[in-house]
């Protein structure tokens, strides 16, 4: 297995907010996506997920609280937590999540 250039992988994605699975670590799925400034509707998941901003900024509302995540910062969304991506989120995001149960 060779090293993966995460910024290049995200830049090459044909559509923003459509993640690309890079691989698995145990049961966890590691994905990358490109954010383009548009908002994303509220969602929640049965398992927690880790959101690592590689570049740019991720603007979230989590359980009614506004959160801003910058480059090099990791935000953990708890299992079942309702979260929305607010307008202005742009850059590259790495996601680590478990499959839905």
């Amino acid at each position: 297995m060779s090293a993966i250039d995460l910024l290049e992988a995200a830049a090459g994605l044909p559509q923003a907010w459509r993640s690309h699975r890079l691989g698995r670590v145990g049961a966890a799925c590691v994905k990358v996506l490109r954010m383009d400034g548009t908002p994303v509707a509220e969602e929640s998941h049965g398992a927690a997920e880790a959101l690592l901003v590689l570049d740019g900024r991720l603007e979230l509302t989590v359980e009614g609280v506004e959160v801003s995540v910058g480059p090099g910062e990791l935000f953990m969304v708890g299992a079942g937590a309702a979260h929305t991506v607010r307008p202005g989120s742009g850059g590259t995001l790495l996601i680590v999540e478990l499959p839905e149960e």
Side-chain angles (χ1 to χ4, degrees):
M1 179 94 185
S2 59
I4 299 170
D5 184 324
L6 298 172
L7 299 179
E8 185 178 295
L13 294 174
Q15 190 174 9
W17 298 112
R18 294 280 184 153
S19 62
H20 171 71
R21 190 174 96 172
L22 300 169
R24 288 195 167 295
V25 177
C29 184
V30 179
K31 304 187 298 187
V32 67
L33 67 76
R34 178 172 49 85
M35 304 179 286
D36 71 351
T38 59
V40 177
E42 182 177 280
E43 60 183 15
S44 63
H45 309 284
E49 64 181 341
L51 307 174
L52 174 63
V53 176
L54 300 176
D55 69 352
R57 183 157 299 280
L58 175 61
E59 301 293 342
L60 295 170
T61 301
V62 181
E63 298 288 310
V65 177
E66 291 189 357
V67 177
S68 184
V69 187
E73 294 181 331
L74 175 73
F75 186 79
M76 302 291 293
V77 178
H83 55 287
T84 304
V85 177
R86 297 193 321 267
S89 297
T92 308
L93 183 64
L94 182 78
I95 303 170
V96 180
E97 64 184 7
L98 292 172
E100 293 283 330
E101 296 182 3

